[in-house]
Amino acid sequence: MKVPQRILTLPLSTQCVNKPYIPITSTPHQSSRNLHIHAQTNPSPPGGGGAAATRRQKRLNLSSPRVHTPPATRPPNPSSFLSSLDENVSTLAEWFGNKKNVLCLTGAGLSTESGLPDYRGHAGSYHGGYKPMLHDEFMRSEMKRKKFWARNMVGWKNFSSSEPNPGHYALAALEETGTIGVSFPDAPHFDRDDGVDESLHCNGHRRLSIITQNVDTLHHQAGSKHVCELHGQTRRAKCMTCGYTTSRDDFQNWLADVNTDWLREARAASSQSTLRPDGDADIDSSYSSFCVPNCPHCRTGFFKPDVVFFGDNVPRSRVDKCFGAVAASDGLLVVGSSLAVYSSFRFVLEADKRGIPIAVLNVGETRAERMGLGVLKVESPIGATLEGVLGILSSDCVEARLG
């Protein structure tokens, strides 16, 4: 099959030279949209000074909390792109080219093939009117906490039993072969809670392959080793008073022990429950009698999943670690994310500012296209596409070794 030529590449002298990340605040965004251009590249937004510049600066002055932003339109069904699967696989495989330090950023669209719903995809929960729990609501309202934990208790069995899909396994294999993953200088303040054995960090350097917005731990279950869970993970619960942590499975048992009657009544009142993103279930029941156990360590604090809720901020140490990985990369691959939340989109902006090539594998428009960034956009079923890319790149690797 002839690989379509979709990318315009400027001379080497104009390409980026990777430099270590140095945290900078209030730096205007510099677009590198001329470096890698999709066949349907969006026109550049108006520049210049005066009112136009002010409007552009306001648009780029994005707040750092994870913000709830429902989609304007419903994206198409990923299966509608199966007819162009071979072409899409070839296009994405070509993008990898001779890159040696590709970093991957994944979102909820990757896990939908595991049976977990996303927010903004074709069957996303936002299209049904779902509104996620906000950080301040959870922290301030006992009734909100009861509602959250009641729904989460009902949905936990299905959520926690989900398994990695072909997309997760393909990324793990790409990491194993060295196709994705970057090494970058470590720093004392970088986040250490990334589930990676510290022995994997050697000579003062870190290794990172995947930054994920997902809280389902499916990357780790698939075998990926160097993963940063940007928004935390649901398999831990943390006391908001003393910081004591426990496994989500243990906390599930505590919830079940003190809510036997409520659970029986809730199941009788609801013929079925709908699983929502982040593990909670949509059920028709009252929550006033639901009991949320206090922390057994301090005896007064309440538990929250060890995740970043909407309206909360990702820890700075985690953000800086991810920026360090972006700075060391020579390509950023976005998988299954609309990039609607700034907590992840900032890394795309950073890559664009540095002239690092960006590819987006996602069905539906993303924030990158809306802002006119120069990205290679591939709309295709994620699992099958990543499996195909793995097949091509693995064959190329074998051929190279055989000479």
Side-chain angles (χ1 to χ4, degrees):
M1 174 184 295
K2 183 179 179 181
V3 177
Q5 301 297 318
R6 293 193 174 195
I7 304 174
L8 303 178
T9 305
L10 294 181
L12 183 61
S13 60
T14 66
Q15 302 294 323
C16 66
V17 177
N18 291 338
K19 299 178 181 179
Y21 168 70
I22 301 175
I24 299 175
T25 59
S26 302
T27 302
H29 171 64
Q30 300 285 336
S31 175
S32 60
R33 60 180 53 82
N34 291 325
L35 290 179
H36 261 61
I37 305 175
H38 183 244
Q40 297 179 346
T41 301
N42 298 318
S44 301
T54 301
R55 288 193 300 270
R56 173 170 167 77
Q57 185 59 39
K58 286 182 178 179
R59 188 167 68 249
L60 294 172
N61 187 23
L62 305 170
S63 59
S64 56
R66 187 184 179 197
V67 180
H68 161 57
T69 52
T73 59
R74 184 189 296 269
N77 191 322
S79 63
S80 64
F81 294 92
L82 283 172
S83 60
S84 56
L85 179 61
D86 290 344
E87 179 184 1
N88 292 331
V89 167
S90 297
T91 299
L92 189 55
E94 181 192 8
W95 176 83
F96 275 90
N98 294 321
K99 296 179 179 66
K100 303 295 184 183
N101 300 284
V102 173
L103 182 65
C104 189
L105 171 64
T106 68
L110 172 62
S111 294
T112 56
E113 293 179 29
S114 294
L116 299 180
D118 59 5
Y119 291 102
R120 303 172 182 86
H122 175 72
S125 294
Y126 280 167
H127 301 297
Y130 171 72
K131 294 182 179 180
M133 179 67 68
L134 301 180
H135 177 78
D136 285 350
E137 291 178 340
F138 186 93
M139 298 298 293
R140 294 175 180 175
S141 170
E142 180 184 6
M143 185 54 66
K144 291 289 187 180
R145 292 194 291 272
K146 286 186 175 186
K147 179 178 180 180
F148 174 85
W149 280 120
R151 292 184 169 204
N152 199 266
M153 181 179 74
V154 174
W156 178 248
K157 181 178 180 180
N158 288 337
F159 186 87
S160 62
S161 61
S162 60
E163 297 180 348
N165 64 58
H168 294 104
Y169 287 115
L171 289 176
L174 289 170
E175 178 191 64
E176 182 69 21
T177 60
T179 305
I180 64 172
V182 301
S183 180
F184 57 101
D186 198 2
H189 73 287
F190 281 174
D191 178 46
R192 302 284 159 177
D193 191 18
D194 54 10
V196 178
D197 187 337
E198 289 296 325
S199 66
L200 297 174
H201 306 155
C202 57
N203 299 323
H205 279 69
R206 285 266 182 147
R207 186 80 182 168
L208 193 61
S209 303
I210 299 168
I211 302 170
T212 184
Q213 300 169 242
N214 301 337
V215 297
D216 50 36
T217 71
L218 293 182
H219 281 299
H220 289 298
Q221 293 180 50
S224 293
K225 296 178 180 178
H226 306 285
V227 181
C228 177
E229 293 167 321
L230 188 65
H231 295 150
Q233 58 150 289
T234 57
R235 293 185 179 274
R236 288 192 302 260
K238 185 175 183 179
C239 175
M240 293 293 96
T241 298
C242 69
Y244 176 80
T245 60
T246 186
S247 74
R248 179 62 186 81
D249 286 331
D250 283 346
F251 193 64
Q252 178 76 359
N253 293 332
W254 300 349
L255 288 169
D257 287 344
V258 296
N259 291 287
T260 304
D261 293 339
W262 180 91
L263 185 58
R264 181 174 58 252
E265 294 172 1
R267 286 173 174 170
S270 301
S271 58
Q272 60 181 2
S273 60
T274 302
L275 189 64
R276 299 295 195 181
D278 298 341
D280 56 331
D282 183 14
I283 55 177
D284 182 16
S285 182
S286 170
Y287 309 103
S288 58
S289 63
F290 189 84
C291 178
V292 182
N294 285 343
C295 172
H297 186 260
C298 67
R299 300 189 181 280
T300 58
F302 58 84
F303 280 96
K304 171 181 170 291
D306 195 12
V307 301
V308 178
F309 278 10
F310 285 93
D312 194 8
N313 293 298
V314 178
R316 187 74 238 178
S317 59
R318 196 176 301 166
V319 172
D320 283 348
K321 179 176 68 175
C322 293
F323 271 129
V326 172
S329 70
D330 59 7
L332 178 63
L333 173 63
V334 179
V335 177
S337 176
S338 64
L339 301 171
V341 293
Y342 182 65
S343 57
S344 59
F345 184 58
R346 58 182 142 196
F347 304 123
V348 177
L349 290 176
E350 180 70 13
D352 181 69
K353 182 179 70 175
R354 290 174 172 269
I356 296 170
I358 304 166
V360 178
L361 173 59
N362 186 71
V363 173
E365 186 184 46
T366 75
R367 198 172 187 173
E369 294 108 85
R370 288 195 298 273
M371 288 191 61
L373 305 188
V375 303
L376 171 68
K377 177 65 180 300
V378 178
E379 293 194 288
S380 188
I382 291 175
T385 303
L386 290 177
E387 277 190 320
V389 169
L390 173 63
I392 290 177
L393 298 181
S394 296
S395 297
D396 291 345
C397 182
V398 170
E399 291 177 3
R401 289 176 179 175
L402 294 177

